[in-house]
Amino acid sequence: MRIKVAFRGTLINAKPEESRDGKNTYYKVSLDQNGEAGSMSCNKDVYDMVASGELEKYSEIDFQAAYNDQYKNMQVFDAFPAS
């Protein structure tokens, strides 16, 4: 089951990470929410928005993510500047 959530946080950065065998690239977004900083998985589209400057670092961003209970992970699948 995938549970979708929306939340607001301060974007810090995004970075790619290659798998150990070099065959896959995974993406992570770093963010701060209420003084708690961390990183979580994101898709390539969100990474590209950060890398291109479309999403400004250290600005308030509305994130959309999905929690997958089968794999027990959460991934950001969309983001846009907070209005």
Side-chain angles (χ1 to χ4, degrees), residues 1-76:
M1 175 181 192
R2 288 175 47 103
I3 301 168
K4 294 182 180 178
V5 296
F7 63 95
R8 183 171 287 178
T10 302
L11 172 66
I12 298 172
N13 200 6
K15 68 177 188 169
E17 293 182 354
E18 287 200 20
S19 62
R20 291 181 185 174
D21 63 9
K23 293 181 180 180
N24 295 306
T25 302
Y26 301 99
Y27 303 94
K28 291 196 173 261
V29 63
S30 300
L31 57 99
D32 176 280
Q33 187 182 50
N34 300 322
E36 296 283 333
S39 64
M40 59 191 306
S41 296
C42 68
N43 62 19
K44 186 173 185 327
D45 292 338
V46 172
Y47 167 78
D48 287 343
M49 287 190 281
V50 177
S52 71
E54 183 179 342
L55 294 176
E56 189 175 332
K57 294 178 184 178
Y58 305 106
S59 64
E60 290 294 304
I61 302 294
D62 286 327
F63 295 97
Q64 293 186 8
Y67 176 75
N68 185 322
D69 69 338
Q70 181 179 1
Y71 298 107
K72 305 207 180 330
N73 73 334
M74 191 151 95
Q75 182 182 50
V76 173

